[in-house]
Amino acid sequence: MNLHHCSVRRTLLDRPSSVRWCRRKGPLLLSSRNEAADLPRAPVHRVRGLAVDGESRRVWVDGRQLKFTYMEFELLAHLMANQRRVYTRGQLMALVWQQNAVGDTRTVDVHVARLRRKLGPGYRAMIRTVRQVGYAFEPSATPKPRP
């Protein structure tokens, strides 16, 4: 089964951190080299020492590269692309997982916890929990001092 981007231009412009996939019988062919060059590039988001490169799908914290699963990367990239915007768990399920939020949305909480653990104490506070609502990426957040 081959998976290819559906309407790549529209998807990357509308939702920079999520990509819709569809089944196709053949390869996705571009009519010319210029058309390939016209495709939008995924941006690199930087906040202090945290950098997320959407094109190479890499994350750096203070100059060292971290390993993320596909969904962890998608979640972080989406939150960073839409800084300060609060998303409900259901919205994140629809936008990042591309699934309807039917039933348990705790999977979002689990992925956020993993993200925070991997980002470390200097950056975990940037993923802000909005009680009874969901999550937001807050670039100006400072880490809480440990007693």
Side-chain angles (χ1 to χ4, degrees), residues 8 19 40 48 50 54 63 65 79-80 87 89 93 101-103 108 117-118 123 126 137 140:
V8 175
V19 177
R48 295 192 312 222
L50 174 63
Q65 186 177 341
L79 289 173
M80 282 188 77
Y87 287 96
R89 290 166 181 82
M93 288 290 291
V102 178
V108 176
R117 196 173 316 120
K118 288 181 179 182
Y123 298 95
M126 289 181 173
F137 186 84
S140 61

Side-chain angles (χ1 to χ4, degrees), residues 17-18 70-71 74-75 78 91-98:
S17 63
S18 63
Y70 176 82
M71 292 314 270
E74 288 293 314
L75 180 60
H78 182 78
Q91 287 173 324
L92 289 171
M93 288 290 291
L95 294 170
V96 177
W97 278 260
Q98 297 181 0

